[in-house]
């Protein structure tokens, strides 16, 4: 199963206009990493400084390799310059079987 990564950031309100630029620069390297299958940046309707980046990876190991690279001097991004708080990350790679009946609508 692919790994789905939620990377949540809170942008400093004074830097909100810079968010798209910094995220684009940072996420270009993420998207180019082997095993990355796609990225979306979702903006909270109630708080435009709260952004959820959803990444899809072929495997958890692909994401782990990427995350390790981000901790190196070569992988460091400038995203921290616009954040109001440290980001959070959750990785989902296991599904829960659900017994759902098809909708009649």
């Amino acid at each position: 199963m692919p790994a789905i990564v939620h990377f949540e950031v809170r942008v400093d309100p004074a830097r909100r206009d810079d968010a798209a630029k910094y995220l684009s620069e940072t996420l270009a390297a993420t998207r180019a990493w082997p095993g990355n299958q796609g990225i979306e940046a979702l903006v909270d309707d109630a708080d435009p400084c709260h952004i959820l980046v959803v990444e899809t990876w072929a495997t958890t190991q692909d994401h782990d390799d990427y995350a390790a690279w981000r901790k190196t001097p070569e992988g460091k991004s400038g995203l921290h310059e616009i954040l109001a708080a440290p980001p959070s990350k959750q990785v989902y790679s296991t599904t829960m079987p659900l017994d759902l009946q098809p909708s009649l609508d």
Side-chain angles (χ1 to χ4, degrees):
M1 164 172 176
I4 306 299
V5 176
H6 285 184
F7 183 71
E8 246 181 304
V9 297
R10 295 204 178 268
V11 175
D12 179 342
R15 302 295 306 270
R16 191 180 74 165
D17 291 343
D18 298 326
K21 173 184 173 268
Y22 277 81
L23 281 167
S24 293
E25 289 171 358
T26 299
L27 297 177
T30 308
R31 184 62 184 105
W33 194 266
N36 183 275
Q37 297 178 330
I39 300 175
E40 287 185 284
L42 308 173
V43 179
D44 186 334
D45 289 347
D47 178 1
C49 290
H50 180 208
I51 300 168
L52 175 64
V53 177
V54 180
E55 305 169 2
T56 303
W57 293 87
T59 68
T60 302
Q61 187 61 55
D62 290 330
H63 172 264
D64 291 347
D65 293 344
Y66 163 78
W69 172 74
R70 278 292 186 198
K71 293 178 181 174
T72 69
E74 297 78 24
K76 186 172 179 165
S77 79
L79 186 60
H80 66 280
E81 296 175 22
I82 65 164
L83 298 183
S88 69
K89 176 177 77 170
Q90 300 82 38
V91 179
Y92 303 91
S93 62
T94 304
T95 60
M96 177 184 295
L98 302 174
D99 185 19
L100 302 177
Q101 301 302 314
S103 173
L104 298 177
D105 294 339

